[in-house]
Amino acid sequence: MDSTLVLFCFFNILPRILAEQEVENLSGLSTSPDKDIFVVRENGTTCLMAEFAVRIVVPFDVLAMNGIDLITEQALMTLPRGAEVQGKCGSTEAELQMSWNKDAYTFSLFFIKEAHNLSKGQDVVWKINKIQFAYDTNEPSHFGNAFNPEKHTASSHRLSAFVTPAGRSYECQAQQTISLISSDHQKGVTISMSEVRIQPFDIKSDFMFSEAYKCITDQREQLEEMLPLILGIILALIIVITLGVYHIRQKMTANQVQLPTDRSQYKNM
């Protein structure tokens, strides 16, 4: 074999061998029964962290009572605490994959970091660019009496979700819904995520998220919560200013020389 080819293979495969990655499911530490916590570590250092609650709605067909027509029902599922987790970190791409019920269900998140050239300079962001959910309608706990049961995969289409400035984590307590298209006759699978805190790149401290970038919904809700307080402060300032002006005017009036209204009194002045 050519020595140049040997060296090329050595220097490209060696970093992948050395970069040992491990994934931990820390959902048992969550204070919320619905929220899961996952950590991907590379060479003993955290490279991806994710916390979220997820709710998945999957439509499937069952045979009607007449034995001819099909009826569409819905399977509702959440991510169990004992899910098996796999993950991969990279400088510009990362992924997180969760499987349960003997691989009957697999929920996958794909991340990408990219740069955009703007007039003011380069803007670097990361985002979720793909979500997949693989499921098997042979699995009876959610798909009882499914018609023509088999394995299906639902995928997002041109997704750009959780867009976040590079070096920061994404945080959103509010529920966000993403629609996937299934291989099962193009049925729509709904993914609802809440209590989200994710960072797939540029983690500076082990097991620690970087500064949070809050979603618009959370920012709006925070503003709505603060609005009564802000209005109360403004009203209090208006009252204080009004009383202050009134007090100053009263004092100025009291200090003015009072001229007599009776003209006969001018002779004695």
Side-chain angles (χ1 to χ4, degrees), residues 39-56:
V39 175
V40 181
R41 308 184 82 230
E42 183 176 88
N43 294 332
T45 304
T46 303
C47 58
L48 187 156
M49 288 182 66
E51 299 180 2
F52 54 82
V54 63
R55 182 173 176 269
I56 306 170

Side-chain angles (χ1 to χ4, degrees), residues 12-250:
N12 277 273
I13 295 173
L14 183 62
R16 299 179 187 179
I17 298 173
L18 294 177
E20 297 180 359
Q21 295 186 345
E22 55 180 329
V23 184
E24 299 180 52
N25 186 340
L26 304 179
S27 301
L29 302 177
S30 174
T31 55
S32 170
D34 299 320
K35 185 169 71 173
D36 297 281
I37 304 173
F38 306 106
V39 175
V40 181
R41 308 184 82 230
E42 183 176 88
N43 294 332
T45 304
T46 303
C47 58
L48 187 156
M49 288 182 66
E51 299 180 2
F52 54 82
V54 63
R55 182 173 176 269
I56 306 170
V57 179
V58 183
F60 66 101
D61 293 331
V62 297
L63 203 60
M65 294 292 291
N66 60 16
I68 300 174
D69 299 323
L70 292 177
I71 300 173
T72 300
E73 295 188 354
Q74 290 186 332
L76 171 63
M77 60 193 77
T78 57
L79 200 62
R81 284 287 171 91
E84 296 181 4
V85 192
Q86 294 182 336
K88 184 178 73 174
C89 293
S91 57
T92 59
E93 293 184 1
E95 62 183 76
L96 185 65
Q97 186 180 91
M98 296 132 282
S99 302
W100 64 97
N101 279 30
K102 298 179 180 180
D103 293 334
Y105 308 106
T106 302
F107 179 59
S108 304
L109 301 173
F110 298 86
F111 307 92
I112 188 171
K113 184 167 71 170
E114 57 188 11
H116 301 280
N117 291 319
L118 304 175
S119 56
K120 61 181 180 180
Q122 198 174 59
D123 182 34
V124 183
V125 300
W126 68 262
K127 64 182 180 181
I128 294 179
N129 68 325
K130 186 179 182 181
I131 294 179
Q132 274 190 342
F133 180 61
Y135 58 98
D136 189 350
T137 52
N138 278 295
E139 203 283 306
S141 63
H142 290 101
F143 299 101
N145 302 317
F147 178 75
N148 193 23
E150 58 182 325
K151 293 183 178 180
H152 299 285
T153 300
S155 303
S156 59
H157 180 64
R158 295 182 180 178
L159 183 64
S160 182
F162 302 178
V163 180
T164 305
R168 297 176 66 176
S169 62
Y170 177 86
E171 183 177 9
C172 194
Q173 296 300 311
Q175 180 174 288
Q176 298 175 88
T177 301
I178 298 169
S179 297
L180 312 183
I181 301 299
S182 174
S183 57
D184 182 13
H185 299 91
Q186 301 297 300
K187 287 183 172 65
V189 173
T190 303
I191 307 292
S192 298
M193 298 179 69
S194 59
E195 301 181 72
V196 176
R197 187 81 185 267
I198 295 178
Q199 186 172 357
F201 305 103
D202 306 317
I203 295 178
K204 298 175 183 177
S205 301
D206 211 19
F207 293 106
M208 293 284 291
F209 285 108
S210 299
E211 180 187 358
Y213 176 79
K214 293 193 175 185
C215 63
I216 299 298
T217 307
D218 278 10
Q219 292 180 27
R220 189 184 300 116
E221 289 180 355
Q222 185 177 13
L223 180 60
E224 289 174 355
E225 290 174 0
M226 293 178 61
L227 196 58
L229 177 62
I230 295 170
L231 291 175
I233 293 172
I234 293 173
L235 182 59
L237 286 173
I238 292 172
I239 293 172
V240 169
I241 292 170
T242 303
L243 290 175
V245 170
Y246 176 77
H247 179 70
I248 293 170
R249 286 177 62 87
Q250 287 290 97

